[in-house]
Amino acid sequence: MSHHLRVEEAVALVDGDPERGLTAEEAARRLREHGPNLLPAPRRPGALRRLVLQFHDPLIHVLLAAAVISALLGEYVDASVIGGVVVVNAAIGFIQESRAERALEALLSIARTRAVVVRDGRRHTVDSEDLAPGDLVALEAGDRVPADLRIVWARDPMADESMLTGESGTVGKDVDPVPPETVIAERTSMAYAGTLLTTGHARGVVTATGADTELGRIHRLMEEVAELDTPLTRRIAEFGRLLTIVILVLAALTFVLGLARGEPAADMFTAAVALAVGAIPEGLPAAVTITLAIAVSRMASRRAIVRRLPAAETLGSTTVICTDKTGTLTQNRMVVRAVWCAGTHHEVTGDGYGPDGAVLVGGDPVEGPSPVLERCLTAGVLCNDARRREVDGVWGVVGDPTEGALLAAASRAGLAPDAIRAANERLDVVPFTSERRWMATLDRSASGVTVHAKGAVGRIMERCTHMAGRDGIVPIDRDAVLEAASALAADGLRVLAFAERDVPDAASLSEDAVSGLVLLGLQGMLDPPREEAVRAVAECRAAGITVKMVTGDQLETARAIARRVGLTGGREPAALSGAALAEAGADELPHIVGTTDVFARVSPEQKLRLVEGLQAQGQVVAMTGDGVNDAPALRQADLGIAMGRDGTEVAKEAADVVLADDNFATIAGAVEEGRRVFDNITKFIVWTLPTNIGEGLVILVAIVAGATLPILPTQILWINMTTAVALGLMLAFERLERDAMARPPRDPAAPLLGATLIGRMALVSLLLLAGAFGLFELERHLGAGVDEARTVAVNVFVVGEAAYLLNCRSLDRSFLSVGAFSNRWLLTGLAVTAILQALFTYAPFMQALFRTEALSVESWLRILATGVAIALIVGAEKFIRLRLRGPSSSAAGP
């Protein structure tokens, strides 16, 4: 840390030379001692590890155990089927994550940085990794800073440090020390690795390289952050453990009851395993994975690239979104919104850097600018180094965005910036510096030579003696100017003052000559909110999601943007600085972060504390970011969202989701998909478990009653696998529930299934038990053989599942309300299931494999009647609950 030291002290600290630099030999020695100037490579899991992790799931463990036990008992067909399910599930997850990694790599711009270093008094171009502490580095406009540098010589340098500090504007650099407690964003004597010099020239001695730089410090923060499980993985894990316990208890109960009835132990062990295999929802892991993969594909089409499958659902469970301001909520381009001159307030409309827009007074367009307004806008054009250009109908700016906004404002008033510049020859310039905080140009036109100046209001007023009024030049009214500037700043505008003075013909301009100026007026600008972001914030608020702004910009600027995007729905946003957040104790932190809407000037450590404070409240936190300073918080958050277009590589590596368009509206769209994912997975679970429970109950009741088993283990597997694929997976294509974005997020502590759905599943399980066991016994009573009766029982389960599937399309409304043909995949699944059951019942090879027999028309009528009864009973149960309790805010809720 040398920002607070004088140049000679800072140079001595690293034993450097501000003129000749290190010798080549000394640089090589230090490089060997300190190592290359590289950050530690990100630890990304290899392909084998990613594949193995696909099997790290409680239900997968249960399936693997069932496959092993089946194989040990000689049930090789059963073992092969179950093993195949596990392999397919792992393959789907592995392929999707691999695709996401490739998509991420396509977004990353990986370039090797070169640096100009002075050694032995001569300039050399070397790889930045070959820099050592004490090296003397030369920088010019456009250079990426290769290491942490203490500035030892400067000629008007400006640096873009947004990737490190989060602050959108450029920062002036100079050699003067700053106080030790100065935050990184205000250390003007330092240039930090990874930042960009936008204008000017500078030299600096290397004070830190590699892991010792500010970037390295942030990397260490990331390493200290453990990745969190998503809400879905936590709930599925809890559900899997509970399901495992239930299955084992039922299997043990079957074994014990059979022994109590005097049945052989070997037969009862086989029956217990059959019950366990029947009760395991083999299709659940695959259904969860495929549903997530479908959602990931849909999100990618909406410009959100999901790196980890469970993150697709986390978006739907998010309760708080902490978002950056610049480029996410805003357009990341400056626009002049107001001009004050001659006591008159002018409103400027239009976005971007093009000419579209107008200048208004009292809501009415001005018919040609007044002389004072024209002179104020002209000063903004001439005291300006930026250029505009139009590419494919889109206007952009080359240079400082602030100066680009001044050019656009002039064109919106009907002026022609290029013509103005052509008519005014620039003779000299006093460039902007962080010390001066103003810029001046000396321009010659047909009418003479004029000094034009722009800068901070206070600094320009210091050099003004008069101001332009409605009736000519008048003595400056400083109170009126400050009042106007304060009013503009209160609206969140960055305010610049403009002045001029006619001077005798001269060819050069000194700083002292910029005095006795005439104040022309003020221009107020901002980075305007994206229109789609305003709508998206409103959608999130309607969905019960709290949106907080976390930015490196100034507090008042951030608060003003929060008002403009409707962050708090009309309430004045509560704002807090990073310094105040740092002073908060551990006990008061959760309350502070919960009640604050805007956090400004925050450091990486403070962003991390912010996320931890919200998580301590039980919130599911999504954090957006694009800079290196955002990476630790991105990793700590339940869902890290990085910017794909302007984000840094480090931020993308730390994130779960990458936005290809850097737009907050994309997050809102992804939240919709996330809620759709959770709803559809819940529908699948609610649909599939009654079948598994019913199959287990059929075996258990048969053992207790001493009756013949109505279904065999291989038939159970047939039911589970064919219906899970042909019927259950079709629920993954269900549309978004119409109230999905009008209900609050799920309670993170709530169980996967609420009491209502558990009760419905129990009802359907009993209906399937009664239907299958009852028809099995009826067929036997009517003279059918065991195989024929079992064929009836199997078809009862399948038809019952198909009928119940229709009711699962909506968990709290009639399936007719979602549209009979809104999910064509489901209709296809029903047709495929009908064909498969026909083959199962009538094809000779299937009859031999599964021990089935052809059924009569009367048997089919009884089977179909059972399915209709199940559909009607479940529909009636939903109707009664809806009438008694009103529409549920969350059908999956407790």
Side-chain angles (χ1 to χ4, degrees):
M1 297 258 292
S2 56
H3 58 275
H4 61 290
L5 302 177
R6 291 182 292 111
V7 168
E8 54 270 24
E9 294 174 331
V11 173
L13 190 65
V14 293
D15 195 16
D17 187 326
E19 299 294 335
R20 296 184 54 81
L22 301 176
T23 64
E25 294 78 9
E26 178 62 15
R29 186 193 68 78
R30 294 189 184 189
L31 185 62
R32 290 192 298 271
E33 177 183 348
H34 294 276
N37 178 32
L38 294 172
L39 293 173
R43 294 177 295 183
R44 301 168 75 176
L48 180 60
R49 178 173 172 77
R50 288 206 313 273
L51 180 61
V52 171
L53 287 175
Q54 305 303 319
F55 297 92
H56 187 58
D57 180 274
L59 285 178
I60 294 294
H61 297 163
V62 173
L63 289 175
L64 288 172
V68 171
I69 293 173
S70 298
L72 293 175
L73 293 173
E75 302 291 344
Y76 299 114
V77 173
D78 297 358
S80 299
V81 171
I82 298 173
V85 171
V86 172
V87 170
V88 169
N89 175 72
I92 292 171
F94 176 77
I95 291 171
Q96 176 56 42
E97 290 188 8
S98 298
R99 286 177 176 174
E101 288 297 321
R102 288 196 295 271
L104 176 70
E105 290 169 3
L107 287 171
L108 301 180
S109 55
I110 303 174
R112 200 172 194 180
T113 305
R114 303 280 286 176
V116 176
V117 61
V118 178
R119 289 175 181 166
D120 296 312
R122 292 180 295 181
R123 295 164 66 98
H124 305 271
T125 301
V126 300
D127 288 337
S128 60
E129 64 187 71
D130 294 331
L131 292 178
D135 259 326
L136 180 62
V137 175
L139 299 173
E140 60 183 37
D143 284 351
R144 183 76 60 181
V145 180
D148 285 1
L149 308 177
R150 173 61 168 90
I151 303 297
V152 298
W153 175 85
R155 180 184 290 170
D156 308 320
M158 301 287 289
D160 178 359
E161 297 183 332
S162 58
M163 57 82 68
L164 186 65
T165 66
E167 186 166 352
S168 56
T170 54
V171 181
K173 298 294 179 180
D174 54 49
V175 300
D176 295 332
V178 294
E181 67 276 7
T182 305
V183 297
I184 291 176
E186 297 173 1
R187 294 178 187 172
T188 54
S189 60
M190 297 290 296
Y192 289 105
T195 61
L196 183 70
L197 203 72
T198 57
T199 60
H201 298 76
R203 284 189 180 187
V205 292
V206 176
T207 59
T209 60
D212 296 326
T213 61
E214 282 298 318
L215 288 184
R217 181 177 63 84
I218 294 172
H219 269 261
R220 289 195 297 275
L221 278 178
M222 289 177 59
E223 291 174 357
E224 296 168 3
V225 176
E227 290 193 16
L228 301 178
D229 290 331
T230 68
L232 178 68
T233 56
R234 289 195 293 267
R235 289 179 184 137
I236 290 291
E238 294 166 0
F239 177 71
R241 287 191 291 269
L242 177 61
L243 188 60
T244 301
I245 293 172
V246 171
I247 290 171
L248 293 177
V249 169
L250 284 176
L253 183 61
T254 300
F255 182 77
V256 171
L257 289 175
L259 290 181
R261 293 184 54 83
E263 301 290 343
D267 292 347
M268 290 302 96
F269 187 77
T270 301
V273 171
L275 183 146
V277 171
I280 294 173
E282 291 91 347
L284 179 57
V288 170
T289 301
I290 291 173
T291 302
L292 290 172
I294 292 170
V296 165
S297 177
R298 285 195 295 253
M299 289 181 185
S301 69
R302 300 179 74 162
R303 312 291 287 169
I305 297 171
V306 179
R307 297 186 61 201
R308 293 195 304 140
L309 282 179
E313 185 275 333
T314 307
L315 279 160
S317 301
T318 297
T319 60
V320 178
I321 299 176
C322 297
T323 178
D324 189 19
K325 175 184 71 68
T326 305
T328 307
L329 291 174
T330 64
Q331 299 176 18
N332 197 21
R333 52 191 177 203
M334 300 300 289
V335 175
V336 172
R337 279 285 176 254
V339 180
W340 180 88
C341 59
T344 302
H345 178 87
H346 302 75
E347 179 186 353
V348 183
T349 64
D351 287 327
Y353 298 112
D356 294 338
V359 177
L360 313 177
V361 174
D364 298 321
V366 297
E367 297 296 334
S370 66
V372 178
L373 176 61
E374 181 173 350
R375 288 164 63 191
C376 180
L377 295 173
T378 297
V381 171
L382 296 175
C383 201
N384 192 319
D385 292 323
R387 292 182 294 107
R388 294 184 304 162
R389 62 182 179 185
E390 184 181 13
V391 179
D392 298 329
V394 178
W395 286 84
V397 63
V398 179
D400 192 305
T402 297
E403 295 187 330
L406 298 176
L407 298 178
S411 63
R412 286 169 186 150
L415 305 181
D418 290 343
I420 291 173
R421 285 177 167 176
N424 289 267
E425 177 190 1
R426 179 180 290 188
L427 303 177
D428 201 0
V429 60
V430 177
F432 179 92
T433 67
S434 58
E435 288 181 325
R436 290 193 198 98
R437 298 179 62 197
W438 57 266
M439 171 186 180
T441 59
L442 184 66
D443 304 292
R444 177 189 288 131
S445 66
S447 59
V449 178
T450 306
V451 173
H452 294 101
K454 80 166 190 291
V457 176
R459 294 300 179 89
I460 292 295
M461 277 207 304
E462 291 173 355
R463 296 176 175 272
C464 293
T465 56
H466 292 75
M467 60 186 293
R470 290 189 180 92
D471 301 321
I473 306 301
V474 299
I476 189 167
D477 185 344
R478 300 184 188 277
D479 291 338
V481 175
L482 290 175
E483 182 180 351
S486 297
L488 295 177
D491 284 337
L493 301 181
R494 179 187 177 192
V495 185
L496 293 178
F498 297 84
E500 69 177 16
R501 180 169 72 92
D502 293 331
V503 296
D505 193 6
S508 64
L509 181 65
S510 67
E511 187 170 336
D512 292 338
V514 185
S515 59
L517 302 178
V518 176
L519 182 74
L520 299 174
L522 310 175
Q523 295 191 45
M525 64 195 71
L526 82 165
D527 181 5
R530 295 175 182 258
E531 291 184 8
E532 62 272 27
V534 176
R535 293 192 297 269
V537 168
E539 290 175 10
C540 288
R541 286 178 50 80
I545 301 171
T546 301
V547 181
K548 296 180 182 291
M549 182 191 295
V550 185
T551 179
D553 275 343
Q554 298 288 345
L555 193 66
E556 287 306 317
T557 302
R559 198 200 306 263
I561 293 296
R563 286 194 293 265
R564 290 175 182 270
V565 299
L567 201 71
T568 55
R571 173 176 57 82
E572 180 65 15
L576 191 73
S577 68
L581 181 63
E583 295 173 359
D587 294 338
E588 57 183 343
L589 181 65
H591 173 73
I592 289 175
V593 299
T595 56
T596 303
D597 307 301
V598 176
F599 299 87
R601 307 292 275 181
V602 289
S603 69
E605 292 89 348
Q606 291 156 3
K607 288 188 178 185
L608 198 56
R609 288 197 76 204
L610 167 61
V611 174
E612 292 170 342
L614 290 169
Q615 289 172 334
Q617 294 181 318
Q619 306 285 0
V620 178
V621 183
M623 168 68 79
T624 75
D626 55 4
V628 175
N629 60 322
D630 297 317
L634 290 175
R635 179 162 291 183
Q636 174 66 34
D638 297 276
L639 188 79
I641 304 173
M643 303 298 113
R645 188 179 59 197
D646 296 329
T648 61
E649 178 181 346
V650 175
K652 295 170 190 174
E653 288 283 355
D656 303 293
V657 177
V658 178
L659 302 184
D661 58 359
D662 295 8
N663 195 337
F664 185 85
T666 302
I667 301 176
V671 167
E672 284 187 1
E673 292 295 344
R675 293 196 172 188
R676 178 179 179 180
V677 165
F678 188 87
D679 284 348
N680 289 348
I681 289 175
T682 301
K683 291 172 185 177
F684 180 88
I685 294 173
V686 171
W687 170 79
T688 194
L689 283 187
T691 302
N692 299 105
I693 296 171
E695 291 164 347
L697 289 176
V698 164
I699 294 175
L700 181 61
V701 170
I703 296 297
V704 171
T708 304
L709 290 178
I711 49 179
L712 298 174
T714 53
Q715 294 171 339
I716 290 174
L717 281 171
W718 167 264
I719 296 170
N720 291 353
M721 296 312 303
T722 57
T723 57
V725 174
L727 295 179
L729 285 182
M730 302 304 108
L731 290 172
F733 298 95
E734 283 298 323
R735 293 180 178 178
L736 183 74
E737 293 278 352
R738 63 188 180 192
D739 66 340
M741 291 299 285
R743 63 184 188 230
R746 282 181 53 85
D747 181 354
L752 186 63
L753 301 174
T756 297
L757 297 183
I758 291 175
R760 185 177 301 160
M761 289 191 302
L763 172 64
V764 175
S765 298
L766 293 174
L767 291 175
L768 289 173
L769 167 65
F773 205 93
L775 283 191
F776 174 81
E777 291 296 331
L778 178 61
E779 294 294 327
R780 293 285 287 148
H781 178 73
L782 294 175
V786 173
D787 288 346
E788 183 180 349
R790 282 174 173 160
T791 306
V792 169
V794 169
N795 279 290
V796 166
F797 269 104
V798 174
V799 171
E801 281 190 89
Y804 180 45
L805 180 75
L806 298 177
N807 272 300
C808 288
R809 295 187 64 195
S810 175
L811 295 177
D812 59 358
R813 301 192 308 273
S814 167
F815 71 87
L816 295 176
S817 66
V818 300
F821 301 101
S822 61
N823 185 348
R824 298 187 182 278
W825 285 99
L826 186 139
L827 300 177
T828 302
L830 289 172
V832 170
T833 300
I835 294 171
L836 290 174
Q837 285 309 113
L839 291 172
F840 175 84
T841 304
Y842 297 105
F845 73 95
M846 297 289 275
Q847 290 176 337
L849 182 62
F850 290 101
R851 296 170 62 179
T852 60
E853 290 189 6
L855 300 181
S856 65
V857 174
E858 291 80 7
S859 295
W860 277 113
L861 289 175
R862 288 189 285 272
I863 292 168
L864 293 174
T866 302
V868 171
I870 291 173
L872 292 176
I873 292 171
V874 174
E877 180 264 346
K878 287 200 294 185
F879 177 78
I880 292 170
R881 285 188 183 274
L882 195 62
R883 291 294 295 270
L884 292 177
R885 301 174 58 184
S888 172
S889 62
S890 177

